[in-house]
Amino acid sequence: MSTFKNKVAIITGSSQGIGKTLAIEMCKKGASVVLNGRTESKLIKTHEELRLLGHNVIAIKGDITSLKDCKRIVAKTIQTFGQIDFLINNGSITMQHEIDCIETEAFENVFSSNSMGAFYPTKAALPFLKKTKGSVIFISSLAGL
């Protein structure tokens, strides 16, 4: 029996890459998955892909650097599934430049995405994760270095 059966996972940054792969694998193991991303077209495409395979998924567009968006994502998850068992903080942005070539605003966006973008979803989901004795998982990358 799968440990993900009857479990609900929110995966930030799940419209592509590692997040999408995590969503697919969790769905295969029986979880209901909340997809999240900022780019609506990619999010819709991933949602349709998983839905057509018969998986129980919803897609919620939102920016993880916005506490308001994170609260909305959590509220929609609770409204739809009634619980949260896993929060996978995967969403982030990177840039491939040497520090003397990076504009301050661009660096602030990367920093906000990679720090507050893990804090805000966790802050919003924590009361519900405590109820289910759920887990918070942080995905990081060498790109952060």
Side-chain angles (χ1 to χ4, degrees):
M1 189 153 121
S2 171
T3 58
F4 296 111
K5 186 137 179 86
N6 300 317
K7 302 292 184 181
V8 176
I10 298 173
I11 306 174
T12 67
S14 51
S15 61
Q16 63 184 359
I18 293 170
K20 180 179 178 179
T21 300
L22 285 168
I24 291 167
E25 292 304 313
M26 289 192 81
C27 283
K28 285 180 182 177
K29 295 185 184 310
S32 298
V33 173
V34 177
L35 303 168
N36 161 256
R38 291 175 296 146
T39 307
E40 191 166 26
S41 59
K42 290 178 185 178
L43 194 59
I44 289 169
K45 182 179 177 194
T46 299
H47 178 255
E48 286 302 307
E49 231 178 276
L50 292 173
R51 196 184 59 74
L52 289 173
L53 292 171
H55 298 304
N56 193 17
V57 296
I58 62 171
I60 307 172
K61 181 179 182 248
D63 185 345
I64 57 172
T65 66
S66 162
L67 182 57
K68 181 179 176 183
D69 278 10
C70 292
K71 287 180 177 181
R72 184 177 47 77
I73 293 163
V74 166
K76 181 70 174 175
T77 301
I78 295 301
Q79 178 186 356
T80 304
F81 297 116
Q83 68 190 51
I84 302 170
D85 299 284
F86 300 97
L87 168 63
I88 301 177
N89 286 305
N90 172 69
S92 67
I93 57 175
T94 63
M95 71 174 55
Q96 307 267 329
H97 299 289
E98 292 183 17
I99 196 143
D100 58 345
C101 298
I102 299 172
E103 294 297 322
T104 303
E105 184 178 330
F107 181 80
E108 288 171 348
N109 289 337
V110 170
F111 184 82
S112 180
S113 175
N114 297 341
S115 57
M116 302 314 286
F119 174 73
Y120 287 154
T122 303
K123 178 80 170 159
L126 199 55
F128 302 98
L129 288 164
K130 285 181 177 181
K131 288 180 184 177
T132 61
K133 297 187 183 349
S135 299
V136 179
I137 299 153
F138 299 90
I139 305 295
S140 64
S141 164
L142 286 176
L145 297 176

